[in-house]
Each structure stands twice: as structure tokens, then as C-alpha cells.
């Protein structure tokens, strides 16, 4: 699949934004109120909004994007749009109350957290629902999206307040464990992706043409000598050439370095700086991971080309 | 709107006879010609007369080679366009309601004024039946020539999709699959018409008729092998010339 930069940026940035919103609204220890609270909220909401705006850049008609809110009953893409706007609107109220009164309303927070998680889930389902892309069509896809969104939010929270605790565990140690867990899920996702090809659906050129029962079927001639929308969008092959090197880069930048930095943060009095570096490193790792998510994915239509 | 109708009154679609198609691309060209002036925006092209042309087409012909275990390979020309699936995945993924399947005749269409050009429907289609228009940036697909088949300004003989009307070999047929007595239904029954990628559970309406079985060549009728079968008959004049020349 064609790795569109706008969509890669969207999933990474919005994922981080909604992850931080999730944690803020669950009451993770952060500034009491006032300007610091406002800036933290702005960071979380800003990441989510910038991502969403970026996602409209890959549309043929961004000016009609508002129409995408209408089909939430059937379409995951529409659900994602509706949930994102609902999450941001509810979070805006939460953030304003927090900024001006210092009061972090628990019930509202719980609602926003649920909405944020549902938004990330809906984003992942846009891909996971597609039977045509076997790599994506699995429960592990939403699990990985949710895990990376949570970890991104967690490291951002650690950057703001490295002394914070969740369930009694210091943030750096929690980050250490969760980063490892998230990438373990991703490694499982990669292992499955390497194994399946089109085998889960049983599709091959024989079933694609319906001629498999007559003998070995292979493409003799494409319909046209040049490229077309389908070959550019779905028969993309660049990703597979350097996939292993890029996976290693993703693991080092996204998993190894953040884990080392969070361990350093745990033992230092001001853990915010290592956590800030961990945010940068995780971003590199996730951009690489997300690029591969698209570039490595094979689409059923490639059986015709 | 992007929910699929529970059932459709008619199931209009095409039968494509792979035994007959000669791969002339006339259906492809006539499809482009009709649909660039018909329903919706013109079918756009980029660099149409340059070195790297690219454009939106609703019908394309691939050519495959089948190699049976015990017979020579055969070539099959394979026209491919929207199959107007009963369980069209392209429809349900659409976030705006631009993509829809008509309850009266089962045709899958795009309302181009509502399309945001996100491309998700093209991703959801296993057959590559949808292409983004490079000029209008909206999704284009086969309309089954909805602006021809009901058009009373046309002669009755022309009220079929452009690809069907133009096929010089009559490899393409149009009709209602919901009616078991229609020509297309009978053809599919008689020739055991096939669905493409049934495992994708899209329930395509369009059917393909597989090539008829070929008679297997016996050993003595096998095509002559130029390398091994070209030596002259022993004792003939050419055989003598052959042997004399070998000795020089």
C-alpha cells in the first residue's frame, strides 16, 4: 500500500494526542491548574488536532470533509471522525474547568478517556476491517494502535511530570514496562504478517481469475504498459526491499532508546529531560513503524498485476 | 445510505465469456468514450499524449496464461470491471454516503458531488474496480452505463452497457441475474459461471464463463519440435546431402 505521509503523520500524532488526553482525563498527576494546565491540555489537544488536519490533506476534496460525519452507522472512517470531534469537544470542557478552577471532574474525565480510546480504536479499525489487506485484517492491529497511543501519551506525561505515579508505580518504570509490552505486540503483528501472505483468505491468482482449477495461472500481460491509480496506490513494493533494516531502526528508536532513557529518568532527580529525548526517539520509531505498516502491506488487487 | 439494501429487485450485471474474448480492448475504449461524456465528471487523463500517460478507466483487460499439468499452456484475455457485488465492501466503508447500491436494480454507484476522494472504497475492493479520477479527484467506477440502459432516447438495441454493445466477438452479455429465465442466468447455469475471489465474501453479480475444455493433443499430433524433429528422412536426398556436408 502507498505510504501517504499525511496519513502516517495523522496516525502517529493523533495517536499520541489522544493517548495523552486519555491519561490526563484519568487523573494522572500533572500541574494543579492555571497556565501549566492549559499548556498541557494544548499539547494533548494540539497533537490530536494537527493529526486530524493532516489527514484531510490526502483527500481529493478536503472542503467536503464535513460530509464524513454522516455515515457513522456503517463506516469506521465516519465513526472515527465523529468520535474524534466528540472527544475533543468534551476534552475542551474538561481542560477549561481544570485550567480555571483546578478541578478535574472525574465523571467527565472518565467519559473523555473512553471516547479517546474509542477514537484510536476506530482509527485502527479503518485498516483492520479491510479483508483485502491480510496484514491489517486482524485484532492485533487495533491492539497495536491502542498500545502505541497509550505509550505515546505515557511518555509525554513523563516528560511533563517524571515524578508522577499511576497505581503507585513511578511513571519512568511504568513507561519502561509499557514500551516493552507495546513493541512485543508489534513484533507479534510482524511475525504474523510475515507468515500469512494471502494464505488466510486462500486468495491467489487462481481464485482472483477463477481459473485456478484449470492449471497454474500467471499474468502474461498487464492491461497497460504504464502505471495507474491501482498500481500506485496498492501495488507498492518499495517497503519490502529494506523492511528488515527499517524494522530494526523502529525497534531501536521506538523501543530500546526510550527504555534506556526511562531507566535513566527513574534514577535521576529530574527525569523530564531524558523523557523529552524519549519522546523524540519514540516519534522516529513510530514514524518508521507506521511507514512500514503501509509500505509492507499487500493488497488483493496485486494478484491481478 | 452506505448501508447495503437487504435485497434488490433486480440484479443487473454482466456475463463475460472468457472462451470468446479475443483481447481486442474495444470494450475498454468504448467504455472510456461513453463514460467520459456520460454520467458524472469526464474520465480524466494526465499526460494523455506524452511519454507517461495515466488516467481513470472503468474497464481494463488483463491477459493470463494457464498451464495445465498435462496439456500445453493457453492464453485467456480477462476483462475486469466493477462486479456490482451484493455485499459490496466498497459501499459500507464510505464515510460520506457517496457510495451506494441501488435497491431497484443492484447497481453500485458513486454520487460524485458527495465524494471526498478519500480512496477507502478502492482499498476495500479486492478487484481493483475503482479508480480515482486524476483531474476531478473523485472516485470513478463502472455505472453499468446507467445513462444508457434506461435511456429512451436511444434505439432499443443500444440500451445496454457500451462495452456489451461494442464487443465484436459477443463475449459480453448484460441482463438480470435475479430472473432465472434471463439469458444471462441460463448462460451461467449452462457454462458453470464463476465468481472472482469468492473467499472475499463479496457475492459478485457479474459472472465469468471459463474457457471450454480443450481437446488434448495426442502424441502423434503434437506440434513438431524444430530442434529434434528437423533432421531429413533417412535414405532421402536431403539425408545424403546432410551426411556429405557433415564430412567436409
Amino acid at each position: 500500500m502507498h505510504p501517504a505521509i499525511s496519513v502516517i503523520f495523522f496516525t502517529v500524532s493523533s495517536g499520541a494526542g489522544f493517548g495523552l488526553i486519555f491519561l490526563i482525563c484519568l487523573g494522572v498527576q500533572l500541574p494543579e491548574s492555571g497556565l501549566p494546565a492549559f499548556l498541557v491540555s494544548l499539547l494533548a489537544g494540539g497533537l490530536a488536532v494537527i493529526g486530524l488536519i493532516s489527514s484531510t490533506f490526502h483527500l481529493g476534496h478536503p472542503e467536503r470533509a464535513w460530509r464524513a460525519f454522516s455515515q457513522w452507522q456503517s463506516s469506521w472512517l465516519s465513526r472515527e471522525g465523529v468520535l474524534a470531534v466528540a472527544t475533543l469537544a468534551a476534552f475542551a470542557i474538561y481542560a477549561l474547568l481544570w485550567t480555571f478552577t483546578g478541578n478535574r471532574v472525574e465523571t467527565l474525565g472518565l467519559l473523555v478517556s473512553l471516547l479517546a480510546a474509542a477514537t484510536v480504536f476506530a482509527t485502527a479499525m479503518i485498516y483492520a476491517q479491510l479483508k483485502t489487506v491480510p496484514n491489517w485484517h486482524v485484532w492485533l492491529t487495533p491492539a497495536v494502535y491502542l498500545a502505541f497511543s497509550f505509550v505515546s501519551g505515557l511518555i509525554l506525561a513523563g516528560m511533563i511530570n517524571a515524578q508522577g505515579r499511576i497505581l503507585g508505580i513511578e511513571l519512568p518504570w511504568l513507561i519502561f514496562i509499557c514500551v516493552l509490552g507495546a513493541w512485543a505486540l508489534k513484533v507479534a503483528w510482524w511475525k504474523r504478517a510475515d507468515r500469512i501472505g494471502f494464505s488466510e483468505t486462500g486468495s491467489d491468482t487462481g481464485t482472483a481469475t477463477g481459473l485456478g482449477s484449470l492449471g497454474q495461472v500467471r499474468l502474461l500481460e498487464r492491461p497497460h504498459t504504464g502505471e495507474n491509480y491501482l498500481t500506485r496506490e496498492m501495488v507498492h513494493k518499495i517497503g519490502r526491499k529494506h523492511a528488515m533494516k527499517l524494522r530494526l531502526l523502529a525497534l531501536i528508536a521506538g523501543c530500546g532508546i526510550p527504555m534506556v532513557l526511562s531507566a535513566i529518568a527513574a534514577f535521576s532527580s529530574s527525569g523530564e529531560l531524558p523523557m523529552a529525548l524519549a519522546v523524540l526517539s519514540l516519534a522516529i520509531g513510530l514514524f518508521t513503524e507506521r511507514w512500514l505498516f503501509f509500505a509492507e502491506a499487500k493488497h488483493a488487487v496485486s494478484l491481478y498485476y | 445510505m452506505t448501508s447495503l439494501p437487504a435485497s434488490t429487485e433486480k440484479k443487473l450485471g454482466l456475463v463475460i465469456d472468457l472462451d470468446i474474448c479475443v483481447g481486442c480492448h474495444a470494450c475498454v475504449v468504448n467504455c472510456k468514450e461513453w463514460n467520459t461524456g456520460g454520467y458524472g465528471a469526464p474520465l480524466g487523463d494526465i499526460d494523455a499524449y506524452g511519454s507517461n500517460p495515466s488516467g481513470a478507466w472503468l474497464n481494463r483487460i488483463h491477459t493470463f496464461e494457464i498451464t495445465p499439468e498435462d496439456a500445453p499452456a493457453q492464453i485467456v484475455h480477462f476483462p475486469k470491471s466493477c462486479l456490482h457485488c451484493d455485499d459490496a465492501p466498497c459501499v459500507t466503508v464510505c464515510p460520506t454516503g457517496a457510495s451506494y447500491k441501488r435497491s431497484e436494480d443492484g447497481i453500485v454507484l458513486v454520487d460524485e458531488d458527495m465524494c471526498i476522494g478519500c480512496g477507502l472504497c478502492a482499498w476495500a475492493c479486492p478487484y481493483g474496480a475503482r479508480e480515482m479520477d486524476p483531474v476531478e479527484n473523485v472516485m470513478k467506477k463502472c455505472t453499468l452505463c446507467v445513462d444508457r440502459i434506461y435511456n429512451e432516447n436511444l434505439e432499443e438495441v443500444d440500451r445496454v452497457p457500451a462495452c456489451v454493445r461494442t464487443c465484436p466477438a459477443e463475449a459480453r452479455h448484460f441482463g438480470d441475474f435475479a430472473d432465472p429465465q434471463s439469458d444471462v442466468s441460463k448462460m451461467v447455469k449452462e457454462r458453470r459461471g464463476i465468481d472472482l475471489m469468492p473467499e472475499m465474501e463479496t457475492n459478485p453479480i457479474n459472472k465469468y464463463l471459463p474457457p471450454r475444455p480443450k481437446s488434448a493433443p495426442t502424441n502423434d499430433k503434437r506440434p513438431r519440435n524444430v530442434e529434434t524433429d528437423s533432421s531429413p528422412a533417412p535414405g532421402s536426398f536431403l539425408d545424403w546431402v546432410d551426411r556429405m556436408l557433415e564430412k567436409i
Side-chain angles (χ1 to χ4, degrees):
Chain A
M1 306 293 290
H2 171 65
I5 296 301
S6 56
V7 176
I8 293 171
F9 183 79
F10 153 62
T11 56
V12 174
S13 172
S14 285
F18 286 118
L20 186 54
I21 289 174
F22 177 82
L23 287 164
I24 291 172
C25 292
L26 280 185
V28 69
Q29 286 157 299
L30 288 166
E32 296 284 306
S33 66
L35 187 63
F38 177 74
L39 289 177
V40 171
S41 304
L42 193 67
L43 174 67
L47 282 169
V49 169
I50 287 172
L52 289 166
I53 291 172
S54 159
S55 75
T56 65
F57 289 151
H58 97 287
L59 299 180
H61 283 274
E63 79 283 4
R64 299 178 189 160
W66 60 273
R67 290 187 181 275
F69 298 121
S70 65
Q71 302 300 311
W72 52 271
Q73 284 171 302
S74 50
S75 163
W76 280 108
L77 179 50
S78 182
R79 282 172 203 159
E80 194 240 6
V82 172
L83 284 166
V85 170
T87 309
L88 288 168
F91 178 62
I93 297 168
Y94 181 94
L96 286 175
L97 286 172
W98 175 28
T99 303
F100 290 110
T101 68
N103 182 13
R104 292 168 78 175
V105 186
E106 264 181 41
T107 44
L108 178 61
L110 197 63
L111 173 76
V112 181
S113 293
L114 282 174
L115 282 170
T119 307
V120 175
F121 180 74
T123 304
M125 284 308 292
I126 296 171
Y127 308 108
Q129 69 177 330
L130 296 174
K131 208 170 182 184
T132 48
V133 186
N135 276 9
W136 298 350
H137 189 58
V138 62
W139 64 270
L140 271 170
T141 299
V144 167
Y145 269 77
L146 284 166
F148 281 145
S149 170
F150 179 69
V151 162
S152 304
L154 211 54
I155 299 190
L156 284 167
M159 177 183 82
I160 298 159
N161 177 18
Q163 269 73 50
R165 285 165 184 272
I166 294 176
L167 302 171
I169 310 170
E170 288 171 35
L171 270 184
W173 287 122
L174 194 64
I175 290 165
F176 188 87
I177 296 162
C178 290
V179 166
L180 189 64
W183 284 97
L185 273 177
K186 183 66 202 188
V187 169
W189 190 96
W190 274 330
K191 278 200 171 293
R192 174 187 170 275
D194 289 342
R195 196 184 69 241
I196 57 160
F198 286 100
S199 62
E200 293 227 321
T201 51
S203 299
D204 57 23
T205 311
T207 67
T209 57
L211 300 170
S213 61
L214 300 176
Q216 194 71 36
V217 184
R218 75 174 180 103
L219 182 73
L220 191 69
E221 225 176 350
R222 281 185 169 204
H224 41 83
T225 49
E227 296 294 313
N228 69 17
Y229 172 73
L230 300 170
T231 60
R232 280 190 299 265
E233 188 75 6
M234 287 169 256
V235 195
H236 193 265
K237 285 177 180 149
I238 297 172
R240 287 165 230 165
K241 195 174 162 193
H242 301 295
M244 289 306 146
K245 283 182 202 162
L246 289 170
R247 283 185 191 181
L248 195 64
L249 172 70
L251 276 173
I252 292 168
C255 184
I257 296 177
M259 282 177 74
V260 171
L261 287 168
S262 58
I264 293 171
F267 290 111
S268 70
S269 53
S270 62
E272 282 79 8
L273 181 67
M275 290 326 300
L277 294 174
V279 166
L280 287 178
S281 188
L282 180 76
I284 293 168
L286 286 186
F287 275 111
T288 313
E289 178 270 332
R290 213 51 54 87
W291 189 86
L292 283 170
F293 177 78
F294 291 97
E296 279 194 279
K298 289 194 286 268
H299 191 284
V301 79
S302 58
L303 295 171
Y304 293 104
Y305 282 90
Chain B
M1 213 167 187
T2 49
S3 296
L4 289 162
S7 65
T8 59
E9 286 164 43
K10 288 183 176 180
K11 293 179 190 291
L12 296 185
L14 303 174
V15 165
I16 293 164
D17 192 336
L18 298 177
D19 203 40
I20 294 181
C21 176
V22 295
C24 71
H25 291 243
C27 57
V28 176
V29 176
N30 201 18
C31 167
K32 179 94 168 177
E33 192 279 334
W34 176 266
N35 284 293
T36 209
Y39 177 98
L43 276 176
D45 288 306
I46 299 284
D47 195 24
Y49 303 101
S51 58
N52 191 22
S54 173
W57 299 73
L58 311 183
N59 180 21
R60 293 186 186 261
I61 299 187
H62 304 235
T63 299
F64 291 95
E65 180 195 66
I66 312 172
T67 314
E69 267 179 31
D70 52 353
Q74 80 180 92
I75 302 300
V76 174
H77 300 291
F78 193 92
K80 191 163 62 59
S81 55
C82 172
L83 309 174
H84 298 278
C85 304
D86 250 348
D87 295 316
C90 55
V91 169
T92 49
V93 298
C94 177
T96 69
S99 253
Y100 62 104
K101 185 173 174 73
R102 308 207 314 176
S103 58
E104 62 268 36
D105 53 17
I107 300 179
V108 176
L109 287 176
V110 175
D111 180 341
E112 293 176 6
D113 292 331
M114 283 168 70
C115 176
I116 57 174
C118 69
L120 190 57
C121 54
W123 286 10
C125 172
Y127 309 111
R130 290 173 167 243
E131 297 190 18
M132 189 83 79
D133 189 283
V135 179
E136 296 293 327
N137 294 322
V138 291
M139 198 53 76
K140 304 295 290 190
K141 70 177 293 301
C142 162
T143 67
L144 218 53
C145 284
V146 69
D147 47 357
R148 282 177 75 104
I149 58 176
Y150 298 116
N151 191 339
E152 288 178 4
N153 295 319
L154 298 177
E155 300 270 339
E156 197 167 348
V157 69
D158 287 325
R159 288 180 216 159
V160 292
C163 56
V164 173
R165 184 75 182 95
T166 204
C167 179
E170 296 201 349
R172 306 176 69 98
H173 306 271
F174 165 71
D176 178 12
F177 291 83
D179 172 9
Q181 294 310 312
S182 67
D183 287 348
V184 286
S185 296
K186 285 183 194 164
M187 258 184 262
V188 168
K189 201 171 169 216
E190 195 181 311
R191 295 272 306 281
R192 296 175 178 229
I194 41 183
D195 284 347
L196 305 187
M197 284 198 257
E199 67 277 10
M200 289 285 170
E201 292 164 335
T202 53
N203 289 317
I205 298 295
N206 285 13
K207 305 283 184 233
Y208 286 76
L209 305 181
R212 290 182 174 86
K214 300 276 181 275
S215 52
T218 52
N219 268 344
D220 54 321
K221 283 184 184 166
R222 197 166 267 169
R224 211 165 61 101
N225 185 323
V226 183
E227 287 296 320
T228 57
D229 300 351
S230 60
S231 49
S236 67
F237 173 67
L238 279 176
D239 182 46
W240 178 79
V241 173
D242 187 30
R243 278 186 286 117
M244 288 304 118
L245 287 173
E246 289 273 327
K247 284 179 182 169
I248 297 172

